[in-house]
Amino acid sequence: MSSTLKLAWRNLTRYRRRTLLTALLIMLGVMALLLFVAAAGSFKQTMIGSITDSMLGHLQIHRRGYTASIDNLPLNLNLQPNAVGKIESALKAEPEIAAYSLRVKLGAMFSNFTENTSVRLNGIDPVAEDSTVPALRQRINDGDRTGPLVAPGKVLIPTLIARGMKVKVGDAVVLVVTNASGSVNGKNFVVSGILDGVTGPGGRDGYIHIDDARDLLRMDKPEVMEVAVRLKSLKSLAAMQQRLNARLDEIQNKEGKPATELHLWSDLSPFANIVRMIDMMTLFIRIMLVAIVLVSVMNVMLMAVYERIREIGTLAAIGTQPGKLMAIFLAEGLLLGLAGAAAGIALSYALVGYLNLNPVVFAFGREQITLRPVLELAEVAGVLGLAVLVSALASLQPAWRAARMDPIQALRHV
Amino acid sequence: MALIQADNITKSYRVGDMNVPALKGLSFEIGEGAFAAFVGPSGSGKTTLLNLLGCLDHPSSGTLKVNGTDISTLSRSVAATFRGENLGFIFQDFNLVPVLSAYENIEYPLLMVRGWSPEKRRERVEKMIAAVGMTEHAHKRPDQLSGGQKQRVAVARALVGEPKLVLADEPTANLDHDTAYRILELMKSMRDSFGTSFIFSTHDPKIMGEAELTFTLEDGRLVRQGGEACPPR
């Protein structure tokens, strides 16, 4: 094996410029793919982190039918205390769950005593919410970031409303809501913080204490509209979805059907479509890499076979088995792909290192994204494997041709 | 037992709709340790006959035995194995692998064909490279060697696997007169040292004089063996 590789390597150095150019092409293809994957991965992680850590959580549980009309913030599709208890038991039984937060969601009229606007509000338990969406606190751009997220009688309002209504931290405001039975209720609040908006649903919501929300809605039972859940690792999301679905299916309504529904962050955020688009672009770049490696290696190997026809005849005449001849040419293609891919990977690591020392910052919607690309070992191994596999495939036909060559015809070739 | 036994072998090629005969019923025997030449003008069938003896082609009819094996119908891979174990080749254009040194070219059949161990290979290659007087050029590549030196390396490569028979197609055609004689002398001394039979083809009357046994071919027929005319078949 080593002698075949040694001979293959020597043959590659026979036409150095051609080998170098082909390896360069493969290197550029590998670099393009790895850098795109690393940068897009960083962008995805930043955005997913922003969405899940500051707003949605990793997954959410609602009463069946709630998410279909979530834009209207319905008050008649609440999770009843009995169901909430069962959900909490199910969540506590899963060690992979880091935290969960019960939310009362409502729409309200926001008044600064001179003008009104509508606002979407989340009634939260500040401790549970802080554990479930730890980056929410970082969105407070004006106000106390160190104390409880929101205390009774206080409200966190989104920047857009603060600007539009000319409201500052410490100002008194009134929130007026209409409850499920149609009666109107209002209450005074003090603005305790202004929140930066983030992309996606809930990115422009305000926050009040859950007791205040229930008080405003005149709830006589501790009902909730939403349970946001945070996992210890996002990697266990799919498995957790499966396990939780099995547990939650046991909570049934009067018709004997599951009373709850579970959604992943990707089901709730339109950013999931951008993630799918990025994945699609990665696939296209991967296909381009395959095409580059396939065409360049096949071209070089076809040329190599054509230029060495007499040599192939000689090697065959002195007893080299067709399989061995095939192996020599296959090894050449493999080494070419391996060398190009290895150079591409090395340069990608260097560039990713540079980009981490000098990060690229750009605006995405209302957010400033700082790219800190990371090359995952599995991705690097996958790209290397792909390049080597495609190189082997590209060399297969020329190598087969060399192995099947008639020695007499080959020896006669001029 | 004769090393080569040819019994009424023919070879014809298809050219378009025509069947062109290249060899027309050749029968002969060559013993072990021979230093024989196939002579004749271009197109007489010398190379075709060497190709058949080298298991590179099959006769159209007749029986051809080399070292007791009927090589008339060997499959591609069995023929390759047979060549690797029993035959050596020397070519007119030397046909050394340009990316390998003289030493590595000689080592190639042992490494890639026979699969000998490194110690056994080193011992054998060093012996052969010394036998052809190329020790001081062992690490030079073919493009750093003269024509005569290349052919010496080719002779060593042909002999390194201890074959029974070495076939050489016009081995001196690309060499000057003095070098050609030195190569023939080398081949003869190798035959004397290792007992290997040499069969070469030539159309040069001076070179054919060096052979101990000549087979004269004309138009695909064997017309003379040694000094005696062959009866027409």
Side-chain angles (χ1 to χ4, degrees):
Chain A
M1 184 63 184
S2 65
S3 50
T4 305
L5 286 174
K6 187 175 158 189
L7 182 57
W9 182 253
R10 293 265 188 95
N11 281 326
L12 281 176
T13 59
R14 196 185 293 216
Y15 303 101
R16 282 184 192 174
R17 189 182 299 175
R18 189 169 70 194
T19 301
L20 210 62
L21 283 173
T22 310
L24 200 68
L25 201 61
I26 296 170
M27 183 191 86
L28 288 174
V30 166
M31 262 177 66
L33 176 59
L34 285 178
L35 287 180
F36 180 81
V37 169
S42 165
F43 173 65
K44 267 163 52 178
Q45 290 314 312
T46 306
M47 287 304 295
I48 292 170
S50 161
I51 290 164
T52 59
D53 293 356
S54 70
M55 191 165 60
L56 287 180
H58 293 147
L59 50 89
Q60 292 187 353
I61 301 163
H62 303 95
R63 180 162 162 184
R64 188 159 289 274
Y66 184 85
T67 47
S69 47
I70 197 167
D71 287 344
N72 305 325
L73 298 174
L75 300 173
N76 59 346
L77 288 169
N78 304 346
L79 292 163
Q80 296 304 307
N82 183 33
V84 173
K86 287 177 181 171
I87 291 168
E88 286 191 275
S89 301
L91 295 175
K92 282 173 184 162
E94 288 291 346
E96 281 298 306
I97 289 174
Y100 64 88
S101 174
L102 308 178
R103 291 172 178 170
V104 171
K105 294 175 83 79
L106 64 155
M109 188 67 77
F110 179 96
S111 171
N112 62 359
F113 301 102
T114 54
E115 49 187 334
N116 300 330
T117 188
S118 62
V119 64
R120 294 165 62 93
L121 293 169
N122 291 284
I124 55 164
D125 168 9
V127 176
E129 188 73 9
D130 212 11
S131 308
T132 308
V133 283
L136 174 60
R137 182 178 289 279
Q138 290 158 24
R139 285 172 54 202
I140 302 173
N141 69 16
D142 191 7
D144 181 18
R145 276 187 176 185
T146 54
L149 266 179
V150 63
K154 301 287 171 70
V155 61
L156 288 170
I157 58 168
T159 304
L160 278 178
I161 287 180
R163 274 197 206 140
M165 302 291 285
K166 298 182 183 66
V167 173
K168 303 185 301 295
V169 172
D171 286 357
V173 295
V174 177
L175 294 174
V176 180
V177 301
T178 305
N179 72 5
S181 60
S183 71
V184 176
N185 190 20
K187 194 174 173 184
N188 286 336
F189 285 85
V190 174
V191 175
S192 64
I194 314 289
L195 285 172
D196 277 337
V198 289
T199 307
R204 292 172 190 177
D205 286 4
Y207 289 83
I208 56 175
H209 196 281
I210 193 166
D211 294 341
D212 288 337
R214 285 180 176 142
D215 192 22
L216 272 170
L217 289 169
R218 292 192 173 125
M219 279 182 180
D220 48 8
K221 294 179 290 183
E223 300 169 25
V224 299
M225 281 72 163
E226 182 172 283
V227 183
V229 181
R230 179 178 183 77
L231 306 183
K232 285 178 180 164
S233 166
L234 200 52
K235 286 176 184 163
S236 62
L237 191 60
M240 182 55 67
Q241 180 190 25
Q242 220 169 6
R243 285 209 301 275
L244 271 183
N245 265 332
R247 287 183 191 275
L248 295 175
D249 280 352
E250 291 168 12
I251 306 171
Q252 296 188 335
N253 56 22
K254 286 171 189 166
E255 289 84 39
K257 292 179 180 168
T260 61
E261 56 188 12
L262 183 146
H263 294 283
L264 306 183
W265 73 267
S266 52
D267 302 326
L268 300 163
S269 170
F271 183 73
N273 293 327
I274 297 177
V275 169
R276 279 184 211 108
M277 207 171 74
I278 291 171
D279 290 344
M280 191 64 80
M281 283 168 72
T282 309
L283 177 69
F284 279 122
I285 296 179
R286 223 177 274 273
I287 291 169
M288 278 169 63
L289 174 70
V290 168
I292 288 170
V293 176
L294 198 71
V295 171
S296 56
V297 173
M298 191 178 245
N299 179 47
V300 165
M301 294 317 297
L302 280 171
M303 291 280 283
V305 170
Y306 182 76
E307 286 161 350
R308 283 162 31 206
I309 289 178
R310 286 194 70 169
E311 192 178 310
I312 293 165
T314 306
L315 298 182
I318 62 181
T320 310
Q321 290 288 346
K324 193 74 126 182
L325 277 172
M326 195 164 165
I328 292 170
F329 282 90
L330 268 179
E332 272 185 56
L334 271 176
L335 283 179
L336 189 55
L338 190 67
I345 288 167
L347 267 173
S348 299
Y349 269 112
L351 270 169
V352 162
Y354 175 81
L355 286 175
N356 275 290
L357 290 174
N358 305 279
V360 176
V361 182
F362 64 95
F364 182 76
R366 298 180 59 80
E367 290 179 63
Q368 287 291 310
I369 304 281
T370 304
L371 280 188
R372 293 193 185 280
V374 175
L375 281 174
E376 297 283 347
L377 200 61
E379 181 65 35
V380 172
V383 169
L384 183 67
L386 183 72
V388 171
L389 181 74
V390 175
S391 301
L393 284 175
S395 316
L396 212 53
Q397 195 274 340
W400 174 255
R401 210 177 137 198
R404 300 305 303 163
M405 216 170 265
D406 175 9
I408 296 177
Q409 296 296 331
L411 284 166
R412 274 193 202 135
H413 185 82
V414 181
Chain B
M1 188 179 69
L3 179 67
I4 298 171
Q5 290 174 291
D7 184 17
N8 198 25
I9 53 170
T10 68
K11 179 68 189 176
S12 52
Y13 296 102
R14 206 93 200 133
V15 181
D17 293 337
M18 302 264 291
N19 215 22
V20 180
L23 297 176
K24 303 168 182 170
L26 269 59
S27 297
F28 60 91
E29 288 189 354
I30 298 175
E32 290 188 12
F35 198 74
F38 293 138
V39 299
S42 291
S44 59
K46 305 184 297 290
T47 301
T48 303
L49 184 53
L50 281 179
N51 286 342
L52 296 185
L53 288 171
C55 302
L56 297 170
D57 208 352
H58 297 122
S60 302
S61 67
T63 309
L64 183 57
K65 287 184 178 176
V66 175
N67 198 26
T69 302
D70 186 352
I71 60 165
S72 315
T73 55
L74 297 183
S75 70
R76 196 183 174 87
S77 72
V78 174
T81 306
F82 184 84
R83 285 197 298 273
E85 289 174 357
N86 296 279
L87 305 176
F89 288 85
I90 300 169
F91 302 94
Q92 181 180 332
D93 295 322
F94 327 122
N95 292 19
L96 301 178
V97 181
V99 292
L100 300 180
S101 67
Y103 184 99
E104 289 164 335
N105 264 287
I106 297 166
E107 189 188 27
Y108 179 92
L110 304 182
L111 178 68
M112 302 292 275
V113 181
R114 305 286 283 273
W116 284 18
S117 66
E119 298 75 30
K120 207 173 157 191
R121 276 200 319 264
R122 189 169 52 246
E123 192 185 326
R124 180 70 183 163
V125 174
E126 281 173 3
K127 184 178 176 183
M128 288 313 303
I129 210 159
V132 297
M134 288 293 291
T135 304
E136 62 180 298
H137 303 291
H139 297 291
K140 288 184 181 169
R141 290 205 177 175
D143 60 358
Q144 297 169 301
L145 301 173
S146 68
Q149 288 170 332
K150 285 180 198 170
Q151 203 59 307
R152 282 173 180 273
V153 174
V155 170
R157 180 180 67 182
L159 284 164
V160 76
E162 299 171 327
K164 284 279 182 187
L165 173 66
V166 170
L167 300 165
D169 190 9
E170 305 268 8
T172 57
N174 281 347
L175 301 174
D176 63 69
H177 199 257
D178 288 346
T179 311
Y181 274 100
R182 279 201 291 274
I183 289 294
L184 284 173
E185 283 306 313
L186 174 69
M187 285 162 58
K188 230 180 235 181
S189 73
M190 294 291 109
R191 187 276 312 266
D192 296 339
S193 304
F194 303 110
T196 308
S197 299
F198 278 80
I199 298 176
F200 60 97
S201 65
T202 183
H203 58 264
D204 183 341
K206 290 176 188 164
I207 297 296
M208 75 178 73
E210 295 298 312
E212 293 167 359
L213 178 62
T214 57
F215 295 86
T216 307
L217 294 161
E218 275 180 23
D219 193 25
R221 294 180 201 282
L222 188 58
V223 294
R224 192 171 291 111
Q225 182 171 337
E228 295 177 14
C230 297
R233 297 180 71 108

